Amino acid sequence: MIGFLHEGLPAPSHLTAALGLGLAEAGVNEGRGVTIENRWAEGQYDRLPALAADLIEHRVEVIAAAYLVAARAAKAATRTVPIVFVTGSDPVAADLVSSLNRPTGNVTGVAFMFTRFGSKNLEILQELVPNAALPSVTKTPPLP
């Protein structure tokens, strides 16, 4: 049983579809011995601790946490159930993991830290496509 903990609204969700696709690519299909328990906070972050605890009570084998607040709630709920998160924040600064290279404990994940690595990404892009130019931008005249 996989627990999916999300701080947002239940539908539509590209994350739910991506989770299902990733599981299918790994040979794991819902309904074939695998159940996904979804818990949605609907933007009410104060509900996340109870939702995480509910997943633990349902004996999920892993928690997939969507975004920082959900990952923190899952981490606070258990030290034994594996937690996989996705976040746009720095997981070390957020105290989710102790290191980006070697996280310890039961928490690991993917961090899209655009603000932290933005300049490095642009540097790599310039190395890959050195003659790239920005498209010209035409300004729309102001309305009278």
Side-chain angles (χ1 to χ4, degrees), residues 11 16 28 49 51 59 69 86-87 107-108:
T16 305
V28 178
L51 295 172
R59 301 192 184 280
V69 183
V86 61
T87 183
V107 183
T108 190

Side-chain angles (χ1 to χ4, degrees), residues 18-104:
L19 177 64
L21 181 62
L23 290 172
E25 287 176 358
V28 178
N29 294 308
E30 189 173 8
R32 290 186 171 172
V34 175
T35 303
I36 299 175
E37 287 285 327
N38 292 293
R39 299 294 184 274
W40 306 88
E42 299 178 354
Q44 298 176 30
Y45 296 166
D46 59 324
R47 294 179 55 206
L48 285 164
L51 295 172
D54 186 52
L55 289 172
I56 300 303
E57 288 174 21
H58 277 84
R59 301 192 184 280
V60 297
E61 295 179 49
V62 63
I63 295 175
Y67 307 119
L68 178 61
V69 183
R72 282 184 171 160
K75 182 180 179 183
T78 181
R79 293 188 185 268
T80 57
V81 175
I83 300 165
V84 180
F85 65 84
V86 61
T87 183
S89 302
D90 181 344
V92 175
D95 198 32
L96 288 177
V97 296
S98 58
S99 165
L100 291 176
N101 295 333
R102 297 189 182 271
T104 57

